[in-house]
Amino acid sequence: MKQGILKGFAAGLLLAGLTVCTYAGDFDPDRAAFDPESKFVITPFGAIIGDPAQVTDLSTDRTGFTYCSAVPDKDRGLLLLASIMVPAQNGAEGGGHAMMMSVDQARNFIAHLRKGPEWAKVAADNKVGLFSKPIGDVIGVEGEVEHLAIKFVSDEQSNGSVRIEHMLGGVPKAFSLGINPALKYAAQAEYALETALALTPDAAPAEDAEKSKLFE
């Protein structure tokens, strides 16, 4: 059921810009800056809503795009829904993946994604070649039912990238982002989270409501 919803949402991401939005910007897959005013962008796979970061689904080697929203939860406060939508391509149907995080987890997610540039500089300066290192856990730890982690990866030419690894219910998913797209995903997630906190501070724990005032 959840997979069907994500497939429908992925189709919506492709079509919403064509039916609702009135303007679009050129899409640069290596752009680090996030534009919250962007209604949609034009990609080789059609119109994608918002200003997404581009990722690679490592299980299929297909291209995906990020989307973030926030939803209130009566038990956990505000939750960030960080999604990756994979449009139909290479003869395969579209699909997607979602990661749901508490406010504190979301802030760790954002901070870990932003570690990429400094680690990439170390890798390039020291010519480390093939190398991977965990940046940090976001949800749980390895071996738990749900484990979301961010890793830094360097290729044979010492070019760095960021990898999102999500294990949920025994099913692993992994996505690769360039350094700049990782920064863009962090900015996209931060914008969705802090905007929602500013609008609905009661949905977050008291300490998060205080932090959200900084962004009003």
Side-chain angles (χ1 to χ4, degrees):
M1 178 67 178
K2 183 177 179 181
Q3 187 175 359
I5 292 172
L6 286 171
K7 286 183 179 179
F9 187 40
L13 287 181
L14 285 166
L15 296 175
L18 297 178
T19 59
V20 177
C21 300
T22 57
Y23 66 93
D26 293 332
F27 181 69
D28 178 359
D30 194 44
R31 185 160 156 259
F34 168 69
D35 179 7
E37 300 300 319
S38 175
K39 301 301 182 184
F40 67 91
V41 295
I42 301 299
T43 76
F45 307 98
I48 305 291
I49 195 170
D51 186 24
Q54 182 170 301
V55 311
T56 300
D57 181 342
L58 293 176
S59 65
T60 62
D61 202 33
R62 289 190 289 161
T63 299
F65 299 91
T66 64
Y67 183 82
C68 294
S69 59
V71 294
D73 182 270
K74 63 183 181 65
D75 297 318
R76 299 177 63 192
L78 198 71
L79 299 177
L80 176 71
L81 183 63
S83 303
I84 296 172
M85 299 302 157
V86 180
Q89 55 196 276
N90 302 328
E93 292 184 10
H97 186 75
M99 300 164 285
M100 190 166 284
M101 303 165 231
S102 68
V103 171
D104 287 340
Q105 290 168 343
R107 288 193 170 126
N108 284 335
F109 178 75
I110 292 163
H112 294 339
L113 288 175
R114 286 178 169 156
K115 289 279 189 181
E118 61 184 272
W119 288 35
K121 185 176 187 306
V122 171
D125 289 348
N126 293 276
K127 298 181 174 58
V128 298
L130 283 171
F131 177 76
S132 67
K133 179 178 175 62
I135 294 177
D137 294 321
V138 176
I139 300 174
V141 295
E142 191 169 356
E144 293 189 353
V145 173
E146 182 175 14
H147 180 219
L148 174 59
I150 310 296
K151 288 187 176 181
F152 173 78
V153 179
S154 171
D155 65 16
E156 292 178 344
Q157 287 73 46
S158 301
N159 295 318
S161 62
V162 173
R163 182 178 297 170
I164 298 171
E165 297 185 351
H166 190 203
M167 174 70 75
L168 181 60
V171 180
K173 291 292 291 185
F175 302 92
S176 177
L177 302 88
I179 297 301
N180 284 344
L183 292 177
K184 189 175 186 180
Y185 198 11
Q188 184 185 39
E190 183 176 60
Y191 179 80
L193 178 70
E194 301 300 346
T195 298
L197 283 172
L199 293 173
T200 57
D202 292 341
E207 64 270 24
D208 293 313
E210 288 300 314
K211 293 174 185 176
S212 72
K213 292 178 182 178
L214 299 172
F215 297 86
E216 294 178 351

